[in-house]
Every structure is written in C-alpha cells, then in structure tokens.
Amino acid sequence: DGGITQSPKYLFRKEGQNVTLSCEQNLNHDAMYWYRQDPGQGLRLIYYSQIVNDFQKGDIAEGYSVSREKKESFPLTVTSAQKNPTAFYLCASSRVGILSYEQYFGPGTRLTVT
Amino acid sequence: KNEVEQSPQNLTAQEGEFITINCSYSVGISALHWLQQHPGGGIVSLFMLSSGKKKHGRLIATINIQEKHSSLHITASHPRDSAVYICAVRIQGGSEKLVFGKGTKLTVNP
C-alpha cells in the first residue's frame, strides 16, 4: 500500500531536549512538507523540500531543522530553541510540476513537551 | 487579515441536511484544495480545483475565480461526515506551498 507514515503517534519530551519526528513515503513523490497545527489555527508550514538534499524554510522554521538525504524520508528535529514545541505535527508529500498536485498527508505526531 | 478565510467556523446539522461551507481568498491562486480532517487528526484530500465544479459522491466543490470564492457542499449529510473541513490555496507563481484556512468544524447529528 502506498502512503505516508509518521512515527510515533504520540511523543512526550522534557523541556530542553531535542526530538526527531519521522516521516516516510513510498509514493515516489519529489516534494515533502512539514506542518504544525495548533488549536484554532490553520496549518502552518515549517519546512519543505522539492528534491533530495535541498529544502527551504517555511513560515515558522525557527527552532526546527530537517534533512532530506533520501527521497522517501524527511525527518524533522524539534530543537530546544523552539519556544512552544507542544503541537500536532503533520507531514505531507506531493508530486512537483507546473500544475498543482494533491498533497497526501501522514497521520500526524502529537508532541507534548513539559 | 488571513489570506484564506472560511465560514462558518462551526456548523451543526441534522442528518439529511444540505451543508455549505465557504472559502474566500485574497490572493491570486493556481489551485484550491478542500481537505477533510477527522477527530484522530489524519487529513484526506477531497478536491483540488482551479475552475468550475467537481463532484464526488455526495460532495460537490465549486470555485469562482473572479470572485475569489469557493464552496464545498455536502448533500444528504450523515453523522460520518462530522469532521473539520479545510480550504487551502496554492498561490499563483509560488512554489508547491499551500496557504490554509483555519477550518470549519462540522457536526452532523443523527
């Protein structure tokens, strides 16, 4: 089955620790995205990548880092510099081109930092 | 002001009712997406459209490019339609990035 997987579903960390969220896709999509969702707000883009070994900051990249060493994988690290890391994190992927393509979303990871 | 505005924020309906959710945007776009988010958090793409109208089962999406407005309709609503419906736009000339509305929470009561 083709799709996007994120792990874990729930993650708990102490303040001051870095944490890495996993995102894997087997859809052969070139583009991958990380979004953050907070109650009462729309999804906000953290980072995106349209090709291996390249990525761009989104609207709220501060305190986050990513890598794209393989087409299938786009892990997100939430660093201790992120002031309010508790949130729901969604990964997505899509084809790339002149036309707009649907984005396919993973099930999300709910991160709680105390 | 957000670039993508949805209305209403919350909507409660009785099973069988016709539902309309609205999305207005203030920028030039190349495409508009309607997404559905269930209580567990997973998001599913319902429609992507750049003009006209699309239909899938009981769901219909329309867009008016001149008025910068889109609607999502649900006919013969059912409790399983209860979810958050999210409008998102791809800005014209931009990358693959989407700009999202805050979502409309729909509750359909039996």
Side-chain angles (χ1 to χ4, degrees), chain B residues 49-100:
Chain B
L49 61 167
S50 53
S51 65
K53 176 178 171 178
K54 285 191 176 180
K55 184 176 190 292
H56 185 253
R58 295 180 294 106
L59 301 178
I60 303 165
T62 64
I63 187 168
N64 184 319
I65 296 293
Q66 284 73 30
E67 294 187 5
K68 292 187 164 64
H69 182 268
S70 175
S71 292
L72 176 69
H73 304 287
I74 305 174
T75 62
S77 59
H78 190 277
R80 66 174 173 265
D81 297 325
S82 297
V84 176
Y85 292 85
I86 301 170
C87 172
V89 301
R90 182 187 181 195
I91 295 175
Q92 205 166 42
S95 65
E96 301 293 331
K97 293 193 303 180
L98 297 179
V99 178
F100 294 81

Side-chain angles (χ1 to χ4, degrees), chain A residues 95-110:
Chain A
R95 293 167 63 190
V96 173
I98 296 171
L99 301 176
S100 187
Y101 294 101
E102 284 181 77
Q103 289 193 12
Y104 292 77
F105 287 82
T109 292
R110 196 166 296 277

Side-chain angles (χ1 to χ4, degrees), chain A residues 9 33 35 37 40-43 45 48 50 59 88 90 94-103 105-107, chain B residues 9 30-31 33 35 37 39-48 86 90 95-103:
Chain A
K9 193 168 174 64
Y33 314 82
Y35 296 100
Q37 188 177 39
Q41 295 203 39
L43 274 71
L45 181 65
Y48 67 103
Q50 294 189 282
D59 301 317
F88 187 56
L90 284 152
S94 74
R95 293 167 63 190
V96 173
I98 296 171
L99 301 176
S100 187
Y101 294 101
E102 284 181 77
Q103 289 193 12
F105 287 82
Chain B
Q9 270 188 291
S30 56
H33 298 247
L35 309 167
Q37 184 172 30
I43 292 179
V44 173
S45 177
L46 297 175
F47 294 104
M48 185 185 65
I86 301 170
R90 182 187 181 195
S95 65
E96 301 293 331
K97 293 193 303 180
L98 297 179
V99 178
F100 294 81
K102 293 183 180 181

Side-chain angles (χ1 to χ4, degrees), chain A residues 41-85:
Chain A
Q41 295 203 39
L43 274 71
R44 292 183 290 168
L45 181 65
I46 304 172
Y47 268 98
Y48 67 103
S49 166
Q50 294 189 282
I51 195 168
V52 173
N53 291 322
D54 189 47
F55 46 83
Q56 281 76 44
K57 291 182 180 180
D59 301 317
I60 54 165
E62 188 175 342
Y64 299 98
S65 66
V66 293
S67 62
R68 187 87 186 275
E69 295 176 5
K70 298 187 299 182
K71 189 174 185 177
E72 302 79 19
S73 178
F74 192 41
L76 173 76
T77 297
V78 185
T79 76
S80 55
Q82 168 49 235
K83 289 182 172 41
N84 296 297

Side-chain angles (χ1 to χ4, degrees), chain A residues 3-49:
Chain A
I4 301 182
T5 56
Q6 289 184 245
S7 60
K9 193 168 174 64
Y10 298 95
L11 193 50
F12 298 88
R13 279 293 183 271
K14 293 287 187 191
E15 205 174 295
Q17 293 179 332
N18 291 355
V19 58
T20 297
L21 281 57
S22 162
C23 178
E24 304 274 333
Q25 55 99 359
N26 61 3
L27 299 166
N28 200 33
H29 286 166
D30 286 306
M32 296 186 75
Y33 314 82
W34 273 106
Y35 296 100
R36 171 181 171 137
Q37 188 177 39
D38 294 283
Q41 295 203 39
L43 274 71
R44 292 183 290 168
L45 181 65
I46 304 172
Y47 268 98
Y48 67 103
S49 166

